Every structure is written in C-alpha cells, then in structure tokens.
Amino acid sequence: MFKKILIANRGEIACRVAATCARLAIKTVAVYSDADANAKHVSACDEAVHIGGSAPKDSYLQWQRILAAAKATGAQAVHPGYGFLSENEEFAQACADAGLVFIGPPPSAIKAMGLKAESKQLMEKAGVPLVPGYHGADQDLVLLKKEATRIGYPVLIKASAGGGGKGMRAVDKADDFDAALASCKREAINSFGEDAVLIEKYVQRPRHIEIQVFGDTHGNCVYLFERDCSVQRRHQKVLEEAPAPGMTQTMREQMGAAAVAAAKAVNYVGAGTVEFIVQQGDDGRMDFYFMEMNTRLQVEHPVTEAITGLDLVEWQLRVASGEPLPCKQQDLRIHGHAIEARICAENPDNNFLPATGSLQVYRKPACTAFERSSLRIDDGVRQGDAISPFYDSMVAKLIVHGDTREQALARMDEALSHTHIVGLATNVQFLRYVVKSPSFAQANLDTALIPREQAVLFKQEPLGLNVAVAACVAHAVHSEQAEHLPPPRSSPGRGGSQTHTTWTDPFARRDGFRPFGVAQRRFAFEFHGDKVEATLSYLHDGALHLQVGEGAQQTVGSLQFAAKGDALDVQFAQQRHTAFLYQKGPTAHVFTAQGATQIIVIDLLAHASASTAQTGRLTAPMPGKVVSFAVKAGDAVKAGQALAVMEAMKMEHTIAAPKDGTVAELMYAPGDQVTEGAELLKLAA
Ligand code: ADP
Ligand code: ADP
Ligand code: MG
C-alpha cells in the first residue's frame, strides 16, 4: 500500500479521499489555488502545495505543476477525484511516465470511453444494449438529418465529447433539426473544443439507472449494484438513491452483467460507472440501454457505500497499489436503502441559477441525531467560507441510510430541516419539497419528475407570516432577557410604588409605550414585500400577548417561548415551532422543522438595530452590487422608507430606513461592488 499520495482536486471530494487515507495511515498532499489557500481540503491533508491562480485552468488543470508537486513531496500516487483531470487520459499517461501511480483506470480505458460515439461503437461489439441511434464518424449534415428521420422523432442530439449535462438538444420534429444541431455544435465547440455529435432516440419519461463497477489488475471485475439518478435538473443529478426502486433481481443481474461486459471490453481497472437509460413500458416492463461510462469515482458513490458497507476509496487505493479486489461478486450484498441529496448554491425559483457568496451561517444536522451511519455529510467547506464563481456550486452532500426507503426518506427530510445556510441562495428547501412530492415519495421516478411536480416545488412559502413574526419577537425578547435585562412589568402607574428599579427602565425605550397596566412594544416587518406591524403587550402576570397585522387580517394571541439549545420553542396562534433565528443586517433568517424563511425587520428589534439607529449607519447585509439609491443627500426620510436597492445572490434587496431622519451622505454610486457590512449611506437624526 502507498505511504503518501497527492490528491489532485479540491472541495468535498478531496476531503473525502483524505478521510480514507487518514484512516489507512496514508499521508496526503493537497494542492490548492489562490482562492483555496484556506480551504478545508488543505487542512484535511498532511501537506499542501500551492499550484496557481483561482481559475481551474491556472491551477487544478495545470498538470505539470501537479506532477511537480507530487515529485517534490515524495508522493507515490495521484488521486484525481472527479471533474478536473479525472478523465484526462494524457494526465493519466503523464503520471505513469513520471513514475507515479494514477489512481484510476489505464489511459487506454479513459480514451475508449471518453467519446460517447466511439464508446457506443465498442459497446455494440461487446453486445451491450444501446439506445437506437446513430453514432457514426460521418458527420455530414444531410446524413445526420436522414438518420434522425430513420430513428424517428423525438430525437436527442448529443455532443460526443459532452459531459455534465452540456451539449444536448432534444428535437421534436424534422423542421427544428437544423437549428438544434447548429446550437448543439456551438455549445460543444465552446465547452469541449470539438463538435462531433451522435443522435439518439429521445426516450420518454426515462429513468437514469447506473451500475457501479470495479476492476482490478488481476482480471477481476464486479458490480456493486445500481444507483437511481433519475431526479435531474438540466440533465444534472439532484437526488440519487440505491437500490433503484422497483428493481427486480433479474434485471439487476442483467444490468450488472452488461456493465461488467462494458468494463471488460476496455480492460477496466478501478472504480467506474456505467450509465444506462431505462425505458419504462406501461406494462411495468423496463428496457435498459447503455448511455456512457464515467471512468472515475462518481459524486454519488456514497449511496453505494451506504448499502454495501464498503469504502470505495479504500478499494481504489488497494487496486491501484496492485492488490486484488477485496470481495467476489457472490460476497456482495445490499443492506437497506440510501439516498443522497446534493446541496448546491443556486436559486431553484430562478431556473436554478448558481449563486455565490459566503456561508455566513453553515449549521449542519448533528450526525448523532440518529444511530451512527444513518446520516453522513460530505463537504469541503466550513462556516465563513466563500462559494466562489470559480468552482462547482455544490456545497455539501447529505447521505442518509435506513432499513427501508421510507425510513431513509424521513431521515433525509429531518437532516435537510437541520441544515441551516445563510449568506447565499441554496436548494435546501427545494430538496425538501422534492423529497416530499408525491412522485418522489411514491418512487414514481423518471427524469421528468421535477417539471411534473413543479406546482409543489417552486415559489412555495414554507412558513407563514405569523410563525416568522412570532420567532422574531420571541428572539428579541429572549436576547434581552439573556442580557439580564429583567422584562418590563406592568406598572401600577406613573410614580407608582415600584421599588426595585436598579436596572435601566425598559419603559423608557423609545419604541415602547405603556397605557396603564400594560407595556407595549411595536415592531414593523416586511414579509414578501408587504409591510406588517406587530404589537407585543407585556401583561400583569408576566405573560406576553402578540398582535400581528391589523383589522380583518390580524392574528392575536398569547406568545410563549422557552429556550431549547440555540433555538426557541415558540408558541403562537395555535402553532408551536422550534425556531432558529439568524439576523444579518435587517434580514432575519428563520428556520423551523417546517422550513426556512426570511423576514425584514424594519423597526427597532433588540440591540442590533438599536445601534444602527444610534449611529445612523446603514450597511450592506451581504456582499453584492449597489443597484440604485432612492434618495439623495439632504432628503428627509421616514422609518421604513426604501433608501437603496442592492443586488446580491442574483436577487434584489431593498435597504429601508430604520428610523426617521435626513440623508447625510451616499457612500457609493450605483454599480459599485460592496462587501458585507459596508456602509452604504449615512443618516442624520
Ligand atoms: P455526471 O458527469 O454523470 O453528472 P457526476 O454526477 O459524478 O457525473 O458529476 C461530476 C461533476 O462534478 C463533474 O463533471 C464536475 O462538473 C463536478 N465537479 C468537479 N469537481 C468537483 C468538485 N471538486 N466538487 C464538486 N463538484 C465537482
Ligand atoms: P452527460 O455526459 O452530460 O452526463 P449523458 O449521456 O450521461 O450525458 O446524459 C445525461 C442525462 O440526459 C441522462 O441522465 C438523461 O437524463 C438524459 N438523457 C440522455 N440520453 C437520453 C435519451 N436518449 N433520451 C432521453 N433522455 C436522455
Ligand atoms: Mg452522464
């Protein structure tokens, strides 16, 4: 076995590989770019070598520098992770030429599977079933169109060099073919530097089921069962699970045998994935066709680890160091059910636009919440880290395991509900909606699941106004109590017989007033663009009474809360929630088991905004761009009035006046980039 390896990757996969190495007492060398100087993967390894600028082409794709780093540190082997150089046969060959072991398949196998068209020709010879289509070398336009007609519309045009869901165009009818082909070729040239295409029958409502295979240098090859990755957006995986629901033992054996045949056809060594597209007939019949082989460890490999109890990175290391596979096919078993969710920095409600920003809050579910091994979190970031535009938008992977799919589903929902991220848009809430959608819950899986369930997946509000307001008010009152300010008591009246008044008189707050016997405080919020006022009354007996909204819209009732760890158990209007609250500038982020929401605290909540009011500072709640100012120096403004608009995380945010005053100075101009906490304008009393 190796004594030291270099990990030629970053993020969660670099951390993942380092974890197995640490367990096996193999020393690790990290490589890092400028942007990753303080990244988690650097500290996860024993040594680290800086290899260049932030853009991948200046660092993680600079293979000469990576090889030099391996040489300089005395590493014996290189683990490429996934993405970057993992499927680059020149790099694999260069490692061998430099006397380093490439922890992956031989360069010839990477090359054979690298182009979709060529690999299909090989698979055809090996007797692996293919989607009806054309994958010839002749790229004549007239011929391609004729082939499309022969195959029958709808068809899918795919860039042969494509990957990551890019370079694909579905075409419904012959009239659209030319335009789709041209656009596919343009994207292919831009993304992959070559524009050869293949054409496939477009399978309706297909499932994506892939088989994990493993080969060694002794001629053994096994399959580690299947993963269902049908839940996709933009042809990219969102949720993956194993085993595939509805898979029969016969079909599993057939698919396993086809995958092993595919691997053997290219003398495969190490971890690989054979992806199949599965056509579901009305009679429940499932036909599977080879789609492509990914010659590396896959993002979703943990679900296979969860159901087999194996460590695939350990297998990779063993195979690469020349050992035979640790098991034979007949020793492999499936235990229970596992699901992985990819948490990405993106905005599902805005066509999954990737988001960047910093993880101001990154709170993970406690792995001890369940018995060990039922929840696993793979990530490459820590609270405070940035999700930069340079790399993938994946923040973390949550992997749950249960005896049954139902149990795994419940655990996934629970784990997602305890994942709190503030600072950038993520798909956490969206993933919860997917997990709970009828299709996913009933395992009615296919690649059209997301569009089919859109009514319950997009533009939802998991928490109502009352929950959000009650959480904010309870947290404000609680944080005051925590700072040893006794709660205001009902006073017997001005000049009454109050004796113990050693503390600052809360009745003197500028936002409180007290009719006889009751102290009241007013709060103002903005929720989904609507202004809402709330009044909190402190009753004689110390109880709290809350009124949210006015007139016909109002909700009134007693407000109760009790501390529960970092959260508060809040009860208001027949609803009880354990609410976590993180306030960043004027925005409060509320997380409960039901979901998360944001509410803007316009008025004087607790101390944070009190100090804003005192100093007249108005700061950017997050890094972003100033879009416009609604005011100019010298303008008189009223509390709650919109002052400026910022754009961050691809969304616009309005900055409102915390109190009445006069604008003293604008500190930026529209279009300026600002960091979090930057003072946007000065307000004088
Ligand atoms: P597929 O290509 O079939 O979608 P995967 O689901 O395994 O296969 O996705 C691999 C993709 O992950 C790569 O193509 C790349 O876009 C992305 N990626 C590469 N490196 C990293 C990384 N360090 N962290 C997160 N994602 C990465
Ligand atoms: P990539 O290299 O980008 O991963 P794939 O060939 O693996 O490309 O296809 C990605 C996804 O596109 C599949 O998981 C599936 O959802 C969809 N897809 C691919 N081929 C077809 C097809 N013939 N019919 C319908 N959908 C397909
Ligand atoms: Mg694929």
Side-chain angles (χ1 to χ4, degrees):
M1 181 52 81
F2 309 114
K3 296 202 160 39
K4 191 193 261 193
I5 70 159
L6 180 141
I7 303 170
N9 213 303
R10 64 177 304 281
E12 68 90 13
I13 190 61
C15 295
R16 160 73 192 91
V17 173
T20 291
C21 290
R23 190 170 59 73
L24 300 178
I26 298 169
K27 294 270 181 265
T28 46
V29 181
V31 290
Y32 64 94
S33 66
D34 289 346
D36 282 338
N38 298 310
K40 184 174 172 182
H41 81 271
V42 172
S43 46
C45 292
D46 299 296
E47 286 171 71
V49 180
H50 175 248
I51 50 164
S54 300
K57 68 169 176 34
D58 299 326
S59 47
Y60 298 106
L61 295 175
Q62 283 282 343
W63 47 271
Q64 292 84 350
R65 288 187 207 162
I66 292 173
L67 294 181
K71 281 288 178 199
T73 52
Q76 299 160 290
V78 175
H79 195 302
Y82 50 71
F84 298 135
L85 298 168
S86 61
E87 292 176 284
N88 183 322
E89 79 253 22
E90 284 177 59
F91 177 66
Q93 186 58 54
C95 285
D97 296 345
L100 295 159
V101 178
F102 176 77
I103 302 171
S108 56
I110 301 179
K111 184 161 195 287
M113 291 297 186
L115 292 174
K116 293 186 204 288
E118 275 82 345
S119 68
K120 287 198 167 138
Q121 291 161 18
L122 264 176
M123 291 304 108
E124 201 161 35
K125 285 202 199 100
V128 179
L130 298 182
V131 191
Y134 171 77
H135 42 258
D138 191 343
Q139 293 285 304
D140 178 66
L141 299 188
V142 179
L143 173 82
L144 290 176
K145 197 165 178 178
K146 230 166 85 189
E147 284 296 327
T149 307
R150 177 186 62 81
I151 296 160
Y153 288 92
V155 298
L156 189 63
I157 308 176
K158 277 189 192 177
S160 187
K166 274 196 179 154
M168 273 191 270
R169 294 290 181 282
V171 194
D172 286 336
K173 52 185 194 303
D175 285 350
D176 302 338
F177 186 83
D178 296 343
L181 178 66
S183 124
C184 182
K185 280 178 173 284
R186 264 196 311 275
E187 185 169 296
I189 278 283
N190 284 334
S191 309
F192 315 110
E194 72 156 274
D195 69 353
V197 299
L198 62 148
I199 303 172
E200 285 179 2
K201 175 91 193 148
Y202 190 78
V203 181
Q204 304 288 334
R205 298 204 322 123
R207 282 172 74 175
H208 172 123
I209 300 180
E210 58 187 34
I211 305 284
Q212 175 73 56
V213 294
F214 237 104
D216 65 17
T217 49
H218 305 268
N220 303 306
C221 189
V222 298
Y223 62 92
L224 300 171
F225 315 113
E226 76 279 2
R227 293 183 289 255
D228 190 311
C229 312
S230 300
V231 184
Q232 303 182 347
R233 53 123 176 71
R234 293 208 218 106
H235 301 298
Q236 289 170 346
K237 299 157 188 165
V238 175
L239 284 159
E240 302 100 348
E241 59 185 288
M247 177 68 94
T248 61
Q249 190 53 31
T250 313
M251 185 170 170
R252 177 174 293 130
E253 281 164 16
Q254 285 172 354
M255 290 183 79
V260 167
K264 284 198 163 156
V266 296
N267 298 316
Y268 202 79
V269 175
T273 295
V274 183
E275 296 189 331
F276 293 97
I277 192 149
V278 176
Q279 185 163 31
Q280 318 185 81
D282 293 333
D283 51 358
R285 196 188 129 118
M286 300 209 276
D287 293 312
F288 62 92
Y289 306 107
F290 172 86
M291 206 159 31
E292 66 166 344
M293 180 168 187
N294 292 325
T295 53
R296 54 173 158 84
L297 192 67
Q298 203 99 337
V299 173
E300 57 275 19
H301 75 277
V303 292
T304 299
E305 297 185 321
I307 59 155
T308 57
L310 301 168
D311 179 336
L312 298 195
V313 173
E314 178 178 345
W315 276 40
Q316 286 189 298
L317 293 163
R318 292 197 181 285
V319 165
S321 67
E323 293 179 30
L325 291 177
C327 296
K328 301 246 173 301
Q329 189 67 52
Q330 61 269 27
D331 304 330
L332 294 161
R333 293 276 179 285
I334 296 178
H335 305 278
H337 199 97
I339 307 176
E340 172 181 278
R342 300 189 190 194
I343 297 179
C344 295
E346 66 184 19
N347 191 341
D349 284 343
N350 189 5
N351 203 17
F352 300 99
L353 207 62
T356 56
S358 65
L359 294 163
Q360 296 167 349
V361 173
Y362 176 39
R363 187 190 172 102
K364 301 187 247 185
C367 289
T368 50
F370 319 114
E371 83 224 41
R372 277 185 65 195
S373 87
S374 20
L375 171 64
R376 162 173 164 188
I377 303 166
D378 279 18
D379 63 12
V381 288
R382 297 164 295 209
Q383 181 160 289
D385 286 354
I387 301 296
S388 72
F390 301 112
Y391 312 113
D392 202 87
S393 64
M394 196 164 78
V395 178
K397 306 188 296 200
L398 296 187
I399 305 100
V400 293
H401 184 246
D403 292 337
T404 59
R405 184 173 193 268
E406 198 184 359
Q407 193 177 62
L409 269 174
R411 285 183 170 156
M412 179 57 84
D413 186 57
E414 169 99 0
L416 287 167
S417 80
H418 287 108
T419 305
H420 301 167
I421 297 176
V422 173
L424 37 72
T426 73
N427 63 345
V428 172
Q429 186 70 47
F430 172 78
L431 288 168
R432 293 191 69 191
Y433 290 135
V434 176
V435 167
K436 284 197 238 185
S437 69
S439 292
F440 195 79
Q442 291 154 26
N444 182 7
L445 304 175
D446 60 73
T447 62
L449 187 145
I450 290 176
R452 177 168 71 247
E453 292 283 6
Q454 57 180 328
V456 294
L457 301 183
F458 298 104
K459 307 235 155 82
Q460 304 290 307
E461 176 48 72
L463 297 183
L465 170 72
N466 289 332
V467 175
V469 168
C472 286
V473 172
H475 274 271
V477 175
H478 178 69
S479 66
E480 288 167 5
Q481 290 172 348
E483 288 179 24
H484 310 296
L485 289 176
R489 292 178 207 179
S490 62
S491 153
R494 271 167 209 283
S497 56
Q498 274 288 29
T499 47
H500 38 274
T501 49
T502 46
W503 34 276
T504 19
D505 182 7
F507 295 88
R509 306 176 63 94
R510 70 200 168 294
D511 56 337
F513 70 93
R514 32 169 199 159
F516 282 99
V518 186
Q520 291 195 320
R521 279 173 74 181
R522 287 234 166 99
F523 297 85
F525 301 94
E526 193 182 310
F527 192 63
H528 294 294
D530 294 329
K531 291 241 176 76
V532 187
E533 297 210 346
T535 306
L536 177 72
S537 307
Y538 297 83
L539 305 183
H540 296 278
D541 52 1
L544 300 172
H545 184 270
L546 183 63
Q547 174 185 339
V548 181
E550 274 163 358
Q553 302 292 319
Q554 76 177 15
T555 308
V556 291
S558 85
L559 173 71
Q560 289 168 278
F561 64 83
K564 188 175 178 189
D566 296 346
L568 290 181
D569 260 337
V570 181
Q571 197 169 333
F572 175 64
Q574 283 86 51
Q575 300 191 72
R576 200 183 130 252
H577 292 273
T578 300
F580 290 80
L581 183 136
Y582 309 94
Q583 192 162 350
K584 297 287 159 189
T587 308
H589 299 259
V590 179
F591 292 83
T592 77
Q594 263 61 51
T597 197
Q598 297 180 20
I599 181 166
I600 298 171
V601 184
I602 297 178
D603 214 345
L604 319 151
L605 240 193
H607 315 291
S609 21
S611 63
T612 305
Q614 278 150 21
T615 61
R617 283 165 58 92
L618 274 159
T619 55
M622 59 195 71
K625 191 171 87 179
V626 177
V627 174
S628 61
F629 283 101
V631 293
K632 56 184 188 315
D635 283 0
V637 297
K638 289 251 170 281
Q641 185 177 335
L643 302 179
V645 176
M646 271 191 66
E647 187 191 87
M649 298 150 39
K650 316 267 187 312
M651 290 188 284
E652 292 205 340
H653 304 269
T654 301
I655 317 291
K659 56 164 190 168
D660 295 357
T662 306
V663 177
E665 194 182 350
L666 303 185
M667 311 302 284
Y668 289 92
D672 286 350
Q673 286 290 340
V674 295
T675 54
E676 187 199 343
E679 191 176 5
L680 299 177
L681 53 93
K682 284 196 163 81
L683 208 58

